[in-house]
Each structure stands twice: as structure tokens, then as C-alpha cells.
Amino acid sequence: MRYGICAEPKNIDIVQAAGFDYIEPALAPLATLSEEDFSALYKKYAVSGIRAEAFNVFFPGSIRLTGPDVDFDIVNSYCEKALARASALGAKTTVVGSGGSRNIPDGFDRSMAKKQMVQVLQIIGDAAKRYGIIAALEPLNKQECNFINSIAEGAEMVTEAKHPNILLLADFYHMQVENEPMATLLNKKGILRHIHIANSNGRIYPVHPNEDNYAEFFEMLEKIKYNGRISVEASTDNLAADAPKALQLLKIMEDK
């Protein structure tokens, strides 16, 4: 596997020093940078030993994906600019979570919201294909979003989108919060593209094999021969101290 950390670009040196293969910053701020600021960021990555192979936080909260205010032209133009920049920084995968944007407004028809989201995924997929990127749909727990809350629901949306550049993400934290069986992953071999992980007891950095249900999670990944990227997406008060511990844990769990 390849290991990364969801972190701001300013922390790329810490991520590299800890031994990680890549950094996973947020996509939404990238699209709003001036050309001058983007050029400076590009140079920062160019001299680094690692790249932004993945991006999370796909959409800003100002862009609606469901409900009466969806504007597919805005979605399309945003995807084109954001993914062009992500590709320039080394992106191979982008994560489509964005719970605030896809949250279904009260009273809005869920079947219509589902159709809207399928169309959004197809727009993302078309833009991603132009840049050789795979977009991975992320199921989120119900405390953060009221739509696509399980691996099964995420897989259904990926299937309905019918786009080769739209696949699935499994987030250990969200699965744990939703009490979703890890065995749900067993028939997702063909569509699972990316992994996020955090200690579900506080969404903090994973550092010890026995602090959470990591063993079963990695057992399922081994059974489906998953060999892609896995990113730590968690909070910490000391990135430089916790990052090496998290990497050591991930390698231990993979080797078990």
C-alpha cells in the first residue's frame, strides 16, 4: 500500500519527514487561489520529495449538489478548474465527500436528490477522465450528512453513475460510527479505490493496534487484495509526533 496524510500543504515537510508516500490536502481551497499563489504552491510541491497524490474536501460549501439550488454549469466549471490544478500537483485520486454540499435540504424529494447526485458524479467523472484522475465517493456518517451514509449506499451510487472514473472510498471512522460491518467490504474489490482511517474514539491519529477495530478492517482489505492508498484523516495537536506513530501502526496492521 501507499500511505498518506490528509494535511495542509504547509505541512508537507512534516509529512515527508515522517516517512509517508504522499500528502492529501483539500481540493476546494485550490480552486480559489490566484494564479500567482497557485504558481508558488506548484513550486513548493516541485521541490518536495512527495506529491499530492490525493485530495479530499472536493467541493466548497457554497456549491450545492442536491436540492432546488443545484447549478450543473457551476459544478462543471468548478470541476474543470479544480481538477486541472490537482492534476498539475500530482493527483491520482480525489475524494468526493463534501457532506455540506450534498446534504439533502429538508422537504426535498430524496429520489430527485439521488438523480442529481448521479449527474454530479458523471460531471466529475468526465472532468477527472480528462486528467487521468479517479474520483472516489465517500460515504459519511449520519451526524455529518443525511445522504450516502454506508458503503452499500456509496456502492449503489457508483454503480448508477456508470462512469469508469467514479469509484468508492471506505472510511474506517465513518464505518465505525455507523456500526457498519467490516465484512461489507468483501464484495467491493472492483470498485474500492481509496481508504481513510482515524481512531474512531475521538477521530484522532491511530497509534496503537488495540485501540480500535483495525485488525478486522485490515483483514477485509487483505481478503479483497486491496493494495491502493490509505490516508490518515484525523486531528492531532502534534503532527510531527503523531505522524510517525500512525505510519508505524499502518505498516504493522498491513503486515499482520
Side-chain angles (χ1 to χ4, degrees), residues 129-157:
K129 186 176 182 179
R130 287 193 286 274
Y131 295 102
I133 294 172
I134 297 295
L137 178 62
E138 179 180 25
L140 303 169
N141 72 75
K142 295 185 183 71
Q143 298 174 37
E144 298 185 18
C145 183
N146 64 7
F147 182 39
I148 313 174
N149 305 118
S150 68
I151 296 297
E153 290 175 311
E156 180 184 359
M157 293 299 296

Side-chain angles (χ1 to χ4, degrees), residues 84-106:
R85 287 185 164 184
S87 175
L89 298 181
K92 303 300 180 185
T93 299
T94 54
V95 176
V96 184
S98 305
S101 293
R102 81 177 191 224
N103 202 60
I104 302 174
D106 291 342

Side-chain angles (χ1 to χ4, degrees), residues 36-81:
E36 181 181 3
D37 288 341
F38 178 71
S39 178
L41 184 62
Y42 179 87
K43 291 175 183 177
K44 183 178 180 67
Y45 280 105
V47 300
S48 173
I50 61 176
R51 296 288 182 269
E53 296 181 12
F55 283 82
N56 65 356
V57 192
F58 197 103
F59 287 101
S62 59
I63 295 182
R64 292 295 311 159
L65 307 181
T66 64
D69 299 322
V70 175
D71 187 323
F72 294 113
D73 289 335
I74 290 177
V75 171
N76 185 61
S77 60
Y78 170 81
C79 288
E80 182 64 30
K81 182 175 183 179

Side-chain angles (χ1 to χ4, degrees), residues 164-193:
N165 290 72
I166 297 295
L167 296 176
L168 183 69
L169 177 146
D171 187 307
F172 174 83
Y173 169 78
H174 292 298
M175 292 183 72
Q176 284 288 89
V177 170
E178 287 297 306
N179 294 311
E180 190 169 7
M182 295 300 164
T184 307
L185 299 173
L186 287 178
N187 64 345
K188 305 301 184 294
K189 180 177 181 179
I191 64 172
L192 187 61
R193 171 68 178 198

